[in-house]
């Protein structure tokens, strides 16, 4: 277990034991205590809140693994479980804040908390409430940054697929859709809990200062904006997947058209060879000789091929293929006549 204590407003960081952190929490002045319980903390029957000197049963869930997102208010202290982005993973950080302390508990290192502690001496928050909202604002900024990066990745894939479609693009889109679902699944409970908690606090406590009300409104708006960004990412990933499916369908339609052209060419030839290959007396006895072969056997097949190519390919399918291929120049209709520019 790693315990870091930050003395405010000096911003001095010190690594101490859990017993010394309890002394810092009992002393006057505002302190920030960060507790890393490790990936697999040792089993302990006594809750972490009691080991820190917080004997109230309300905070017995503090530091407990697999605790869902929540927010509670009791005797001037606020406790909540906040989802935090750490690379490709979502970590739930336990936060307990009052006018005298800010306690964060997590399992394993969290880069957001290290960055928050490093920036405290430069930012110098005005009070305990400002410090708490500054930490929560960092959580929201991490979600917005991850969402923005995923949106840019979707746009890059969509632009690349119009230039050249590759099988790897659909795998990247699937990964981004899974990332959007992960962000939405992690942030939606926090958005619901935060909105309910802030609204209940405004209705229950009419004596909130204007500064607290402004911080509440700012955080509530930021939560709504992050939620809109995540929903926009989900919509963009769905639209990009639909675009990829449309491109695949267009290519398949082009292949089917080419197969239809080949079948139209060979269909009359197959019919003629099958007809003249029948064992009828008229065909086998009267139609004989080189002249009959050239006239019926070859001539009818050439005429049928020419008619099918003209009426089916040139007037219908060939135009569709030329319209689907941007590299082919536009073809004028055979009925269009060039304008007569000669002068009398």
């Amino acid at each position: 277990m790693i315990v870091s204590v930050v003395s405010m407003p000096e911003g001095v960081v010190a690594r101490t034991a859990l017993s010394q952190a309890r002394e810092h929490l009992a002393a006057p002045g505002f302190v920030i205590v960060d507790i890393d319980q490790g990936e697999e903390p040792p089993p302990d029957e006594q809750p972490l809140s009691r080991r820190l000197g917080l004997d109230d049963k309300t905070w017995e869930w503090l530091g407990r693994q697999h605790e869902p997102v929540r927010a509670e208010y009791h005797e001037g202290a606020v406790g909540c479980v906040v989802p935090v982005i750490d690379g490709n993973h979502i970590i739930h950080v336990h936060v307990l804040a009052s006018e005298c302390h800010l306690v964060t508990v997590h399992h394993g290192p969290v880069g957001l908390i290290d960055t928050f502690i490093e920036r405290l001496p430069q930012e110098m928050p005005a009070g305990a409430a400002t410090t708490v909202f500054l930490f929560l604002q960092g959580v929201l900024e991490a979600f917005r940054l991850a969402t923005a990066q995923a949106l840019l990745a979707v746009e890059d894939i969509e632009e690349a697929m119009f230039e050249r479609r590759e099988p790897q693009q659909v795998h990247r889109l699937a990964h981004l859709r899974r990332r959007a679902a992960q962000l939405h699944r992690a942030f939606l409970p926090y958005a619901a809990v935060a909105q309910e908690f802030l609204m209940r606090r405004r209705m229950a406590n009419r004596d909130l200062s204007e500064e607290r009300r402004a911080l509440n409104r700012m955080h509530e708006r930021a939560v709504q904006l992050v939620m809109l960004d995540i929903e926009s990412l989900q919509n963009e990933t769905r639209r990009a997947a639909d675009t990829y499916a449309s491109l695949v369908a267009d290519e398949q339609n082009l292949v089917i058209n080419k197969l239809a052209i080949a079948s139209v060419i060979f269909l009359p030839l197959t019919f003629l060879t099958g007809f003249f290959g029948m064992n009828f007396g008229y065909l086998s006895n009267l139609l004989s000789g080189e002249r009959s072969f050239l006239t019926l056997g070859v001539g009818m097949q050439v005429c049928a091929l020419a008619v099918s190519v003209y009426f089916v390919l040139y007037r219908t399918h060939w135009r569709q293929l030329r319209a689907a291929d941007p590299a082919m120049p536009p073809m004028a209709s055979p009925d269009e006549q060039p304008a007569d520019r000669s002068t009398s």
Side-chain angles (χ1 to χ4, degrees):
M1 181 180 295
I2 302 176
V3 182
S4 301
V5 178
V6 184
S7 302
M8 297 298 294
E10 296 84 1
V12 179
V13 183
R15 295 288 179 88
T16 61
L18 191 62
S19 58
Q20 296 177 348
R22 178 172 180 171
E23 297 177 359
H24 283 283
L25 291 174
F30 182 71
V31 295
I32 300 175
V33 178
D34 177 61
I35 302 175
D36 183 3
Q37 293 185 305
E39 298 294 341
E40 296 182 358
D44 196 340
E45 298 180 357
Q46 189 176 13
L48 180 63
S49 58
R50 295 192 178 183
R51 298 173 65 187
L52 291 173
L54 308 172
D55 296 331
D56 199 293
K57 294 183 178 180
T58 308
W59 315 119
E60 287 186 352
W61 53 265
L62 186 68
R64 187 186 303 164
Q65 279 189 323
H66 310 297
E67 193 70 20
V69 175
R70 62 193 300 171
E72 297 179 2
Y73 181 81
H74 182 70
E75 294 183 355
V78 177
C80 56
V81 179
V82 182
V84 176
I85 293 181
D86 189 65
N88 295 326
H89 304 282
I90 304 294
I91 300 176
H92 284 177
V93 176
H94 298 198
V95 180
L96 180 61
S98 68
E99 295 293 338
C100 301
H101 57 259
L102 171 63
V103 181
T104 58
V105 184
H106 50 92
H107 301 275
V110 180
L112 177 65
I113 296 180
D114 297 337
T115 304
F116 170 72
I117 294 177
E118 292 176 0
R119 291 168 56 181
L120 281 176
Q122 290 79 23
E123 296 181 349
M124 296 296 294
T130 308
T131 306
V132 174
F133 278 100
L134 187 63
F135 173 75
L136 295 179
Q137 189 65 24
V139 173
L140 300 184
E141 290 176 358
F143 271 95
R144 295 197 71 176
L145 180 60
T147 305
Q149 292 175 349
L151 275 172
L152 292 176
V154 172
E155 292 178 356
D156 292 340
I157 294 175
E158 192 170 9
E159 183 179 356
M161 73 173 62
F162 281 108
E163 297 179 358
R164 182 180 180 183
R165 187 182 61 83
E166 297 179 355
Q168 294 80 5
Q169 294 168 350
V170 69
H171 297 290
R172 294 181 59 191
L173 283 176
H175 174 73
L176 290 172
R177 291 189 67 176
R178 183 180 178 184
R179 178 64 168 173
Q182 180 191 30
L183 295 176
H184 186 267
R185 186 169 55 251
F187 192 78
L188 181 60
Y190 176 76
V193 168
Q195 185 176 8
E196 179 184 359
F197 177 78
L198 295 176
M199 184 178 298
R200 189 171 65 247
R201 285 283 295 147
R202 287 198 300 268
M203 295 175 62
N205 194 348
R206 301 286 183 177
D207 299 332
L208 282 177
S209 63
E210 186 60 31
E211 180 185 1
R212 290 286 184 90
R213 293 180 181 274
L215 290 174
N216 289 348
R217 290 193 297 267
M218 180 186 66
H219 186 71
E220 196 170 359
R221 286 196 299 269
V223 169
Q224 294 174 358
L225 290 176
V226 173
M227 198 67 213
L228 289 176
D229 289 342
I230 295 176
E231 292 176 354
S232 176
L233 173 62
Q234 288 184 310
N235 294 332
E236 287 295 322
T237 53
R238 295 192 190 100
R239 187 177 62 84
D242 293 340
T243 302
Y244 186 90
S246 299
L247 293 176
V248 173
D250 290 341
E251 293 182 0
Q252 290 178 349
N253 291 336
L254 188 61
V255 172
I256 292 175
N257 286 337
K258 293 179 179 179
L259 293 176
I261 291 173
S263 64
V264 167
I265 292 175
F266 288 99
L267 184 60
L269 304 181
T270 305
F271 171 75
L272 291 175
T273 55
F275 178 78
F276 286 103
M278 294 181 181
N279 192 17
F280 293 123
Y282 177 80
L283 296 177
S284 59
N285 297 329
L286 299 180
L287 297 180
S288 60
E290 183 179 357
R291 184 176 179 179
S292 299
F293 170 75
L294 294 177
T295 304
L296 300 177
V298 178
M300 291 185 66
Q301 296 192 26
V302 172
C303 292
L305 181 60
V307 171
S308 63
V309 168
Y310 177 77
F311 282 100
V312 179
L313 305 184
Y314 179 74
R315 300 187 64 87
T316 57
H317 292 280
W318 185 249
R319 286 188 177 182
Q320 295 177 3
L321 294 178
R322 293 180 69 91
D325 191 356
M328 302 178 68
M331 181 180 59
S333 174
D335 299 332
E336 296 178 359
Q337 298 296 331
D340 189 4
R341 298 183 181 179
S342 61
T343 57
S344 58

